[in-house]
Structures are given as C-alpha cells and as structure tokens.
Amino acid sequence: QVQLVESGGGLVQAGGSLRLSCVVSGSIDRINAMGWYRQAPGKQRELVAVISRGGSTNYVDSVRGRFTVSRDNAKNTVYLQMNSLKPEDAAVYYCAAAAEGGDYWGQGTQVTVSS
C-alpha cells in the first residue's frame, strides 16, 4: 500500500507560481514512477508531469518549460513547481504513484488561476 497526501494548491494570479507537494508513505520501494495529473471541470484527467524511479522526467507539451517535477527522497516528497501559470492551468491536481501491484492516488488539491 502507498499513501499520498498533496498540498500547496490555492489561488494565484496569471503569471504567478505555486509549488505542489506530495508526501509519500507506505511501500515506497515498490514505486516505479510518480506523476502529477490534473482535471478541470468537464475535461478528462490528464498527465501533466512524471518522474521515474531513476529520476528522468517528462511533461505534457502545454506545461513544458513552465512546470518542473522533482523529488526529495529524504523527505519522501514529490514536488510540482508551477511557474508562469495561465488560467487554463486551473484544475484539481492529483499526485499518483505507479507501483508494483497497482496505482495509487492522492485526494487532489485545487489550483485556481485568475486572469
């Protein structure tokens, strides 16, 4: 079992920044990759950024160059630094873990971007 708890969402003006955090606990050694997803009202959930066990990262084109995914192994925490936020980035952001035996999700954190 893996438990994920996100934090860091909130209201920000367009052009601003937020940093989301995801604290991971449980069977951490079974995790192969961590991802950040988002879901806006009326839209499908989309993968925003992923970081593999080896540390390689990848991003959806719409956020590449503005968002950075990273992790602090000592704190069992994955981050999503979001810069130059746009109104279209507004969504509920979810942390997810792809682990041996299944996928796990956090509860989500709301990001609102005012224009």
Side-chain angles (χ1 to χ4, degrees), residues 43-66:
K43 295 188 177 181
Q44 289 189 326
R45 189 173 296 189
E46 69 168 344
L47 177 61
V48 175
V50 61
I51 183 166
S52 71
R53 180 197 294 265
S56 60
T57 59
N58 206 358
Y59 303 87
V60 68
D61 286 345
S62 61
V63 308
R64 187 172 288 114
R66 300 187 297 122

PDB file of all heavy atoms in Angstrom, residues 43-66:
ATOM      1  N   LYS A  43     -13.548  18.191 -18.203  1.00  0.00           N
ATOM      2  CA  LYS A  43     -12.451  17.654 -19.011  1.00  0.00           C
ATOM      3  C   LYS A  43     -11.941  16.353 -18.415  1.00  0.00           C
ATOM      4  O   LYS A  43     -12.145  16.075 -17.238  1.00  0.00           O
ATOM      5  CB  LYS A  43     -11.321  18.672 -19.123  1.00  0.00           C
ATOM      6  CG  LYS A  43     -11.696  19.935 -19.871  1.00  0.00           C
ATOM      7  CD  LYS A  43     -10.480  20.807 -20.099  1.00  0.00           C
ATOM      8  CE  LYS A  43     -10.824  22.040 -20.916  1.00  0.00           C
ATOM      9  NZ  LYS A  43      -9.634  22.897 -21.172  1.00  0.00           N
ATOM     10  N   GLN A  44     -11.257  15.589 -19.239  1.00  0.00           N
ATOM     11  CA  GLN A  44     -10.667  14.358 -18.762  1.00  0.00           C
ATOM     12  C   GLN A  44      -9.412  14.653 -17.950  1.00  0.00           C
ATOM     13  O   GLN A  44      -8.753  15.677 -18.135  1.00  0.00           O
ATOM     14  CB  GLN A  44     -10.314  13.458 -19.952  1.00  0.00           C
ATOM     15  CG  GLN A  44     -11.519  12.855 -20.648  1.00  0.00           C
ATOM     16  CD  GLN A  44     -11.117  11.811 -21.680  1.00  0.00           C
ATOM     17  OE1 GLN A  44     -10.081  11.926 -22.322  1.00  0.00           O
ATOM     18  NE2 GLN A  44     -11.937  10.790 -21.818  1.00  0.00           N
ATOM     19  N   ARG A  45      -9.115  13.733 -17.062  1.00  0.00           N
ATOM     20  CA  ARG A  45      -7.887  13.859 -16.298  1.00  0.00           C
ATOM     21  C   ARG A  45      -6.706  13.659 -17.243  1.00  0.00           C
ATOM     22  O   ARG A  45      -6.711  12.754 -18.073  1.00  0.00           O
ATOM     23  CB  ARG A  45      -7.861  12.825 -15.182  1.00  0.00           C
ATOM     24  CG  ARG A  45      -6.749  12.990 -14.187  1.00  0.00           C
ATOM     25  CD  ARG A  45      -6.902  12.037 -13.023  1.00  0.00           C
ATOM     26  NE  ARG A  45      -8.114  12.309 -12.260  1.00  0.00           N
ATOM     27  CZ  ARG A  45      -8.398  11.744 -11.092  1.00  0.00           C
ATOM     28  NH1 ARG A  45      -7.538  10.882 -10.553  1.00  0.00           N
ATOM     29  NH2 ARG A  45      -9.514  12.017 -10.464  1.00  0.00           N
ATOM     30  N   GLU A  46      -5.704  14.529 -17.117  1.00  0.00           N
ATOM     31  CA  GLU A  46      -4.541  14.420 -17.985  1.00  0.00           C
ATOM     32  C   GLU A  46      -3.257  14.355 -17.176  1.00  0.00           C
ATOM     33  O   GLU A  46      -3.148  14.966 -16.096  1.00  0.00           O
ATOM     34  CB  GLU A  46      -4.468  15.598 -18.976  1.00  0.00           C
ATOM     35  CG  GLU A  46      -4.169  16.937 -18.365  1.00  0.00           C
ATOM     36  CD  GLU A  46      -3.825  18.011 -19.381  1.00  0.00           C
ATOM     37  OE1 GLU A  46      -3.515  17.671 -20.548  1.00  0.00           O
ATOM     38  OE2 GLU A  46      -3.851  19.199 -19.007  1.00  0.00           O
ATOM     39  N   LEU A  47      -2.306  13.622 -17.709  1.00  0.00           N
ATOM     40  CA  LEU A  47      -0.989  13.527 -17.092  1.00  0.00           C
ATOM     41  C   LEU A  47      -0.213  14.792 -17.413  1.00  0.00           C
ATOM     42  O   LEU A  47      -0.061  15.160 -18.576  1.00  0.00           O
ATOM     43  CB  LEU A  47      -0.253  12.297 -17.610  1.00  0.00           C
ATOM     44  CG  LEU A  47       1.170  12.100 -17.101  1.00  0.00           C
ATOM     45  CD1 LEU A  47       1.201  11.931 -15.592  1.00  0.00           C
ATOM     46  CD2 LEU A  47       1.808  10.900 -17.785  1.00  0.00           C
ATOM     47  N   VAL A  48       0.272  15.449 -16.377  1.00  0.00           N
ATOM     48  CA  VAL A  48       0.986  16.714 -16.531  1.00  0.00           C
ATOM     49  C   VAL A  48       2.501  16.496 -16.513  1.00  0.00           C
ATOM     50  O   VAL A  48       3.219  17.043 -17.346  1.00  0.00           O
ATOM     51  CB  VAL A  48       0.578  17.696 -15.421  1.00  0.00           C
ATOM     52  CG1 VAL A  48       1.408  18.965 -15.487  1.00  0.00           C
ATOM     53  CG2 VAL A  48      -0.914  18.009 -15.501  1.00  0.00           C
ATOM     54  N   ALA A  49       2.966  15.711 -15.556  1.00  0.00           N
ATOM     55  CA  ALA A  49       4.406  15.515 -15.400  1.00  0.00           C
ATOM     56  C   ALA A  49       4.647  14.175 -14.734  1.00  0.00           C
ATOM     57  O   ALA A  49       3.814  13.703 -13.949  1.00  0.00           O
ATOM     58  CB  ALA A  49       5.018  16.630 -14.565  1.00  0.00           C
ATOM     59  N   VAL A  50       5.774  13.575 -15.049  1.00  0.00           N
ATOM     60  CA  VAL A  50       6.116  12.288 -14.456  1.00  0.00           C
ATOM     61  C   VAL A  50       7.604  12.269 -14.134  1.00  0.00           C
ATOM     62  O   VAL A  50       8.417  12.882 -14.838  1.00  0.00           O
ATOM     63  CB  VAL A  50       5.739  11.135 -15.411  1.00  0.00           C
ATOM     64  CG1 VAL A  50       6.497  11.246 -16.715  1.00  0.00           C
ATOM     65  CG2 VAL A  50       5.957   9.790 -14.755  1.00  0.00           C
ATOM     66  N   ILE A  51       7.939  11.584 -13.045  1.00  0.00           N
ATOM     67  CA  ILE A  51       9.337  11.383 -12.682  1.00  0.00           C
ATOM     68  C   ILE A  51       9.507   9.902 -12.379  1.00  0.00           C
ATOM     69  O   ILE A  51       8.749   9.326 -11.584  1.00  0.00           O
ATOM     70  CB  ILE A  51       9.763  12.291 -11.508  1.00  0.00           C
ATOM     71  CG1 ILE A  51      11.254  12.099 -11.210  1.00  0.00           C
ATOM     72  CG2 ILE A  51       8.908  12.072 -10.268  1.00  0.00           C
ATOM     73  CD1 ILE A  51      11.819  13.194 -10.301  1.00  0.00           C
ATOM     74  N   SER A  52      10.479   9.303 -13.013  1.00  0.00           N
ATOM     75  CA  SER A  52      10.675   7.865 -12.864  1.00  0.00           C
ATOM     76  C   SER A  52      11.520   7.548 -11.627  1.00  0.00           C
ATOM     77  O   SER A  52      12.100   8.447 -10.999  1.00  0.00           O
ATOM     78  CB  SER A  52      11.361   7.301 -14.101  1.00  0.00           C
ATOM     79  OG  SER A  52      12.713   7.721 -14.141  1.00  0.00           O
ATOM     80  N   ARG A  53      11.626   6.265 -11.335  1.00  0.00           N
ATOM     81  CA  ARG A  53      12.473   5.844 -10.216  1.00  0.00           C
ATOM     82  C   ARG A  53      13.897   6.330 -10.427  1.00  0.00           C
ATOM     83  O   ARG A  53      14.594   6.717  -9.478  1.00  0.00           O
ATOM     84  CB  ARG A  53      12.430   4.327 -10.088  1.00  0.00           C
ATOM     85  CG  ARG A  53      13.276   3.770  -8.951  1.00  0.00           C
ATOM     86  CD  ARG A  53      13.523   2.293  -9.147  1.00  0.00           C
ATOM     87  NE  ARG A  53      12.302   1.517  -9.055  1.00  0.00           N
ATOM     88  CZ  ARG A  53      11.892   0.918  -7.942  1.00  0.00           C
ATOM     89  NH1 ARG A  53      12.594   1.029  -6.840  1.00  0.00           N
ATOM     90  NH2 ARG A  53      10.781   0.198  -7.940  1.00  0.00           N
ATOM     91  N   GLY A  54      14.340   6.320 -11.674  1.00  0.00           N
ATOM     92  CA  GLY A  54      15.708   6.739 -11.979  1.00  0.00           C
ATOM     93  C   GLY A  54      15.886   8.243 -12.044  1.00  0.00           C
ATOM     94  O   GLY A  54      17.010   8.733 -12.172  1.00  0.00           O
ATOM     95  N   GLY A  55      14.788   8.989 -11.960  1.00  0.00           N
ATOM     96  CA  GLY A  55      14.888  10.443 -11.936  1.00  0.00           C
ATOM     97  C   GLY A  55      14.616  11.129 -13.257  1.00  0.00           C
ATOM     98  O   GLY A  55      14.625  12.359 -13.323  1.00  0.00           O
ATOM     99  N   SER A  56      14.365  10.362 -14.302  1.00  0.00           N
ATOM    100  CA  SER A  56      14.038  11.004 -15.571  1.00  0.00           C
ATOM    101  C   SER A  56      12.644  11.607 -15.492  1.00  0.00           C
ATOM    102  O   SER A  56      11.770  11.100 -14.791  1.00  0.00           O
ATOM    103  CB  SER A  56      14.122  10.018 -16.724  1.00  0.00           C
ATOM    104  OG  SER A  56      13.230   8.955 -16.544  1.00  0.00           O
ATOM    105  N   THR A  57      12.458  12.702 -16.212  1.00  0.00           N
ATOM    106  CA  THR A  57      11.192  13.428 -16.150  1.00  0.00           C
ATOM    107  C   THR A  57      10.609  13.628 -17.545  1.00  0.00           C
ATOM    108  O   THR A  57      11.330  13.596 -18.547  1.00  0.00           O
ATOM    109  CB  THR A  57      11.382  14.803 -15.493  1.00  0.00           C
ATOM    110  OG1 THR A  57      12.338  15.560 -16.245  1.00  0.00           O
ATOM    111  CG2 THR A  57      11.879  14.655 -14.056  1.00  0.00           C
ATOM    112  N   ASN A  58       9.338  13.839 -17.574  1.00  0.00           N
ATOM    113  CA  ASN A  58       8.665  14.144 -18.831  1.00  0.00           C
ATOM    114  C   ASN A  58       7.436  14.985 -18.526  1.00  0.00           C
ATOM    115  O   ASN A  58       6.894  14.906 -17.411  1.00  0.00           O
ATOM    116  CB  ASN A  58       8.263  12.874 -19.570  1.00  0.00           C
ATOM    117  CG  ASN A  58       8.151  13.093 -21.062  1.00  0.00           C
ATOM    118  OD1 ASN A  58       8.344  14.209 -21.561  1.00  0.00           O
ATOM    119  ND2 ASN A  58       7.827  12.043 -21.794  1.00  0.00           N
ATOM    120  N   TYR A  59       7.027  15.777 -19.531  1.00  0.00           N
ATOM    121  CA  TYR A  59       5.938  16.721 -19.330  1.00  0.00           C
ATOM    122  C   TYR A  59       4.999  16.733 -20.527  1.00  0.00           C
ATOM    123  O   TYR A  59       5.413  16.487 -21.670  1.00  0.00           O
ATOM    124  CB  TYR A  59       6.504  18.132 -19.149  1.00  0.00           C
ATOM    125  CG  TYR A  59       7.486  18.262 -18.013  1.00  0.00           C
ATOM    126  CD1 TYR A  59       8.840  18.010 -18.203  1.00  0.00           C
ATOM    127  CD2 TYR A  59       7.052  18.614 -16.736  1.00  0.00           C
ATOM    128  CE1 TYR A  59       9.737  18.114 -17.163  1.00  0.00           C
ATOM    129  CE2 TYR A  59       7.948  18.721 -15.687  1.00  0.00           C
ATOM    130  CZ  TYR A  59       9.286  18.474 -15.910  1.00  0.00           C
ATOM    131  OH  TYR A  59      10.167  18.580 -14.862  1.00  0.00           O
ATOM    132  N   VAL A  60       3.761  17.082 -20.265  1.00  0.00           N
ATOM    133  CA  VAL A  60       2.848  17.350 -21.362  1.00  0.00           C
ATOM    134  C   VAL A  60       3.302  18.647 -22.027  1.00  0.00           C
ATOM    135  O   VAL A  60       3.846  19.543 -21.367  1.00  0.00           O
ATOM    136  CB  VAL A  60       1.395  17.436 -20.842  1.00  0.00           C
ATOM    137  CG1 VAL A  60       1.188  18.657 -19.967  1.00  0.00           C
ATOM    138  CG2 VAL A  60       0.411  17.398 -21.987  1.00  0.00           C
ATOM    139  N   ASP A  61       3.107  18.752 -23.312  1.00  0.00           N
ATOM    140  CA  ASP A  61       3.631  19.900 -24.055  1.00  0.00           C
ATOM    141  C   ASP A  61       3.145  21.242 -23.503  1.00  0.00           C
ATOM    142  O   ASP A  61       3.888  22.227 -23.501  1.00  0.00           O
ATOM    143  CB  ASP A  61       3.238  19.796 -25.534  1.00  0.00           C
ATOM    144  CG  ASP A  61       4.029  18.744 -26.272  1.00  0.00           C
ATOM    145  OD1 ASP A  61       5.064  18.285 -25.736  1.00  0.00           O
ATOM    146  OD2 ASP A  61       3.615  18.370 -27.377  1.00  0.00           O
ATOM    147  N   SER A  62       1.932  21.275 -23.017  1.00  0.00           N
ATOM    148  CA  SER A  62       1.352  22.541 -22.578  1.00  0.00           C
ATOM    149  C   SER A  62       2.025  23.135 -21.342  1.00  0.00           C
ATOM    150  O   SER A  62       1.845  24.322 -21.053  1.00  0.00           O
ATOM    151  CB  SER A  62      -0.150  22.368 -22.323  1.00  0.00           C
ATOM    152  OG  SER A  62      -0.368  21.413 -21.309  1.00  0.00           O
ATOM    153  N   VAL A  63       2.800  22.331 -20.614  1.00  0.00           N
ATOM    154  CA  VAL A  63       3.453  22.841 -19.400  1.00  0.00           C
ATOM    155  C   VAL A  63       4.971  22.792 -19.490  1.00  0.00           C
ATOM    156  O   VAL A  63       5.652  23.331 -18.617  1.00  0.00           O
ATOM    157  CB  VAL A  63       3.003  22.085 -18.136  1.00  0.00           C
ATOM    158  CG1 VAL A  63       1.486  22.046 -18.044  1.00  0.00           C
ATOM    159  CG2 VAL A  63       3.596  20.679 -18.066  1.00  0.00           C
ATOM    160  N   ARG A  64       5.486  22.167 -20.527  1.00  0.00           N
ATOM    161  CA  ARG A  64       6.945  22.030 -20.635  1.00  0.00           C
ATOM    162  C   ARG A  64       7.576  23.417 -20.674  1.00  0.00           C
ATOM    163  O   ARG A  64       7.149  24.305 -21.400  1.00  0.00           O
ATOM    164  CB  ARG A  64       7.311  21.224 -21.881  1.00  0.00           C
ATOM    165  CG  ARG A  64       8.801  20.902 -21.966  1.00  0.00           C
ATOM    166  CD  ARG A  64       9.101  19.935 -23.102  1.00  0.00           C
ATOM    167  NE  ARG A  64       8.639  18.587 -22.804  1.00  0.00           N
ATOM    168  CZ  ARG A  64       7.672  17.964 -23.467  1.00  0.00           C
ATOM    169  NH1 ARG A  64       7.060  18.562 -24.468  1.00  0.00           N
ATOM    170  NH2 ARG A  64       7.320  16.743 -23.143  1.00  0.00           N
ATOM    171  N   GLY A  65       8.611  23.580 -19.855  1.00  0.00           N
ATOM    172  CA  GLY A  65       9.278  24.872 -19.750  1.00  0.00           C
ATOM    173  C   GLY A  65       8.717  25.765 -18.665  1.00  0.00           C
ATOM    174  O   GLY A  65       9.364  26.751 -18.272  1.00  0.00           O
ATOM    175  N   ARG A  66       7.545  25.436 -18.158  1.00  0.00           N
ATOM    176  CA  ARG A  66       6.938  26.223 -17.077  1.00  0.00           C
ATOM    177  C   ARG A  66       6.842  25.429 -15.776  1.00  0.00           C
ATOM    178  O   ARG A  66       6.942  26.011 -14.691  1.00  0.00           O
ATOM    179  CB  ARG A  66       5.528  26.680 -17.482  1.00  0.00           C
ATOM    180  CG  ARG A  66       5.488  27.552 -18.723  1.00  0.00           C
ATOM    181  CD  ARG A  66       4.078  28.107 -18.959  1.00  0.00           C
ATOM    182  NE  ARG A  66       3.095  27.067 -19.223  1.00  0.00           N
ATOM    183  CZ  ARG A  66       1.992  26.870 -18.499  1.00  0.00           C
ATOM    184  NH1 ARG A  66       1.740  27.635 -17.451  1.00  0.00           N
ATOM    185  NH2 ARG A  66       1.143  25.904 -18.828  1.00  0.00           N
TER     186      ARG A  66
END
